[in-house]
Amino acid sequence: MKRRDFIKGVGVGSVATAGMVGGIQNAAAAKTIKWKMVTSWPKNFPGLGTGANFLAKTINDMSGGRLKVKVYGANEIVPALEVFDAVSRGTAQMGHSGAYYWKGKHPATQFFTSVPFGLTAQEMNAWLYYGGGMQLWEELYDQFNLIPNAAGNTGVQMGGWFNKEINSVEDLKGLKMRIPGMGGEVLKRAGGTPVTLPGGEIYTSMQSGAIDATEWVGPYNDMAFGLYKVAKFYYSPGWHEPGSTMEAMINKDAFNKLPEELQVIVRAACKVANQDMLADYTARNNQALQTLVNRHKVQLRQFPDDVLKKLNSLAQEVVADVGKHDKLSEKIYQSFTAFKNSVIQWSAVSEQAYMKARELG
Ligand code: CA
């Protein structure tokens, strides 16, 4: 009896000890970490803002509420184009934006959103995840105390809104157009004046005549801004942004403080958000395009081949020039260009050939 009691006692004691350790672990697990995510988008803006919301919610849900990310629209904590600095210095732990807005910080950031006549969304993801692009992006952002992630893609954008037809390269001369990144530099070399404005300022700038033309994203987003009210012609294709990656940048110190499993969750959630946004855009763009054309009587146009040919040749120069900025830019340029030249051959016999074949039906 005594012996049995003793064993029982040990047993009870062991259970009590195990329970205590478990309790300590549970207490650690229950500790909630709160992050701010600043964005370059108007709060809840379709596609971009809702994409940022989706990312935050995915992190919250995947972590069982241990990491709570709160999303802030442009101007709620910082203006749209100060997201990079805010996350870099730790005012916010996370930011959702587009890397090409930071060309003033480093010109090579532009390779990680979209390059004129560059990669489609599918090809861009292939370069980032399986072509060395992600490592180069990390190397570039490391000097700013940031960790980058691909966290959304708009797919092929539209060429933009104009109040006159673009029938030749001459028509681009003197044109003051909102067009960021390398696309803007291409326009400049074609004789136009590129302007960088956050999305929220496009409509009023078009309305007041401060700019003559603008690109934004595609039908889904452009309709949300009401751009059909301030311009007549809607041009395709978006040669300047054939598959724009949106980014989720993370303050490095904040990231390093996370338990390892939360770090994995944050990175995984970004990958989910990257895929989800592309699906959102692909599903809704055509719907919006039909409304723009049928209800709002927007005149759909395609840039003439010779205009595209000229812009393409200027784009090759612009992209190469960005590669000349410093050693890292050169490395990124070489990686991007080699990947593009290689994947173009596969895309020609796969996506491109199939889409051509489908049109025959
Ligand atoms: Ca755009």
Side-chain angles (χ1 to χ4, degrees):
M1 280 294 282
K2 269 186 185 173
R3 190 179 150 84
R4 205 159 51 200
D5 283 350
F6 175 74
I7 292 167
K8 217 171 145 187
V10 169
V12 168
S14 300
V15 168
T17 309
M20 253 170 66
V21 171
I24 290 161
Q25 278 171 347
N26 286 343
K31 198 181 144 220
T32 303
I33 300 165
K34 287 184 177 169
W35 273 15
K36 294 185 182 91
M37 186 201 288
V38 288
T39 70
S40 298
W41 329 119
K43 182 114 176 136
N44 302 323
F45 189 75
L48 302 171
T50 54
N53 295 348
F54 175 89
L55 173 58
K57 188 180 182 305
T58 304
I59 294 172
N60 295 350
D61 292 350
M62 283 175 87
S63 69
R66 285 172 63 200
L67 178 54
K68 284 209 163 105
V69 183
K70 191 171 177 202
V71 180
Y72 294 87
N75 298 321
E76 284 196 293
I77 297 180
V78 290
L81 302 182
E82 282 175 29
V83 165
F84 189 93
D85 284 336
V87 181
S88 176
R89 67 173 178 253
T91 303
Q93 292 77 18
M94 203 166 179
H96 197 270
S97 189
Y100 61 3
Y101 289 133
W102 323 122
K103 66 173 183 178
K105 302 286 175 191
H106 198 294
T109 58
Q110 299 172 97
F111 282 102
F112 300 99
T113 305
S114 200
V115 166
F117 296 94
L119 303 173
T120 65
Q122 191 165 323
E123 294 165 346
M124 188 69 184
N125 286 328
W127 177 58
L128 290 174
Y129 295 141
Y130 290 97
M134 214 52 242
Q135 287 91 325
L136 289 167
W137 197 358
E138 280 168 8
E139 192 179 336
L140 176 65
Y141 271 31
D142 190 64
Q143 58 190 297
F144 301 102
N145 197 37
L146 291 169
I147 297 170
N149 286 274
N153 198 301
T154 63
V156 185
Q157 298 202 356
M158 282 294 284
W161 296 87
F162 300 80
N163 274 312
K164 63 171 189 182
E165 289 191 323
I166 305 299
N167 296 317
S168 71
V169 182
E170 282 300 307
D171 292 323
L172 296 173
K173 295 205 167 123
L175 197 75
K176 200 169 174 191
M177 179 173 179
R178 185 268 179 193
I179 173 170
M182 292 190 227
E185 183 57 31
V186 173
L187 178 75
K188 193 171 165 186
R189 293 190 193 185
T193 306
V195 178
T196 299
L197 285 174
E201 292 171 27
I202 295 176
Y203 184 89
T204 47
S205 302
M206 280 294 283
Q207 203 177 30
S208 71
I211 53 173
D212 308 314
T214 185
E215 70 81 57
W216 173 223
V217 182
Y220 175 33
N221 279 175
D222 297 6
M223 190 165 77
F225 268 160
L227 295 178
Y228 57 89
K229 293 177 207 159
V230 288
K232 226 162 61 190
F233 302 107
Y234 197 21
Y235 271 81
S236 79
W239 55 271
H240 61 302
E241 292 190 66
S244 297
T245 295
M246 297 300 127
E247 64 178 358
M249 60 180 96
I250 301 165
N251 177 278
K252 216 175 143 186
D253 305 320
F255 188 78
N256 289 338
K257 272 188 220 153
L258 289 181
E260 208 184 327
E261 70 274 18
L262 289 184
Q263 294 181 343
V264 173
I265 283 173
V266 168
R267 286 190 189 273
C270 288
K271 262 194 165 173
V272 174
N274 193 30
Q275 179 57 42
D276 188 78
M277 190 189 288
L278 181 60
D280 186 23
Y281 273 100
T282 307
R284 292 183 207 261
N285 267 333
N286 187 56
Q287 231 174 342
L289 183 67
Q290 297 312 314
T291 307
L292 286 171
V293 171
N294 298 328
R295 194 189 305 163
H296 301 302
K297 307 296 172 206
V298 164
Q299 300 201 40
L300 203 57
R301 294 282 188 279
Q302 249 182 45
F303 291 117
D305 285 355
D306 59 334
V307 170
L308 289 171
K309 211 173 153 188
K310 178 69 182 168
L311 293 171
N312 194 341
S313 92
L314 290 172
Q316 304 318 309
E317 294 171 21
V318 168
V319 178
D321 283 353
V322 174
K324 286 174 194 150
H325 177 74
D326 64 1
K327 262 197 165 156
L328 184 54
S329 305
E330 172 70 16
K331 204 158 80 167
I332 295 168
Y333 168 71
Q334 292 298 349
S335 168
F336 185 94
T337 308
F339 192 87
K340 180 187 153 189
N341 291 340
S342 159
V343 84
I344 270 177
Q345 300 170 53
W346 166 239
S347 294
V349 299
S350 56
E351 297 288 312
Q352 207 172 321
Y354 169 68
M355 286 195 179
K356 250 185 180 168
R358 188 167 60 181
E359 273 187 355
L360 300 172

